[in-house]
Amino acid sequence: MKRLNVGLIGLGRLGRVYARDLAGRIPETKLVAVADPQGNLAREIAEEFDVARSYTDPVALIDDKNVEAIVIVTPTHVHKEQVVAAAHSKKPTFCEKPPALSLSEVAGMKDAVEKSG
């Protein structure tokens, strides 16, 4: 069975749970990259879960050609920026709730997703 290569952005408390699950508890996925502005944290999680690449810049993860799908588990105030960037990459993306802090931000995210096809 081919596994979906997933990149995870955000490695706080909930992000660690996602890392654990994507790396070892969901047989259809393989965690291939992680990103967090705290570089040491990204490297530590990558080592802990045997993930090939770690980034401090979420855009670098989004642009990684080995990443086929993206999971965003960052603070809500950066969701819009990251979802829009992921939409431009045309990679399937899951964003943890709440999606944004305002309805206008959610509308911008929705527009980016719709334009990406």
Side-chain angles (χ1 to χ4, degrees):
M1 166 179 62
K2 180 169 177 354
R3 297 167 72 187
L4 181 65
N5 290 337
V6 178
L8 173 63
I9 302 172
L11 300 170
R13 182 184 51 79
L14 188 55
R16 287 177 182 262
V17 172
Y18 275 87
R20 178 201 66 202
D21 292 349
L22 291 166
R25 293 188 175 182
I26 303 172
E28 296 84 9
T29 63
K30 180 178 181 182
L31 187 59
V32 296
V34 293
D36 196 278
Q38 294 183 4
N40 289 338
L41 179 58
R43 282 189 299 277
E44 289 171 12
I45 296 295
E47 288 177 17
E48 180 179 348
F49 294 104
D50 195 28
V51 177
R53 287 170 304 288
S54 64
Y55 300 99
T56 56
D57 180 5
V59 174
L61 181 143
I62 292 167
D63 291 340
D64 185 327
K65 300 223 184 298
N66 292 310
V67 172
E68 299 172 326
I70 300 163
V71 175
I72 299 172
V73 192
T74 53
T76 305
H77 71 276
V78 295
H79 282 177
K80 180 185 178 202
E81 172 187 334
Q82 294 169 350
V83 167
V84 169
H88 286 129
S89 76
K90 299 189 182 282
K91 295 178 183 180
T93 302
F94 171 83
C95 181
E96 183 57 58
K97 65 183 193 275
L101 296 174
S102 71
L103 289 176
S104 64
E105 288 179 325
V106 173
M109 295 162 75
K110 180 179 180 272
D111 287 345
V113 169
E114 287 175 349
K115 286 178 184 173
S116 75

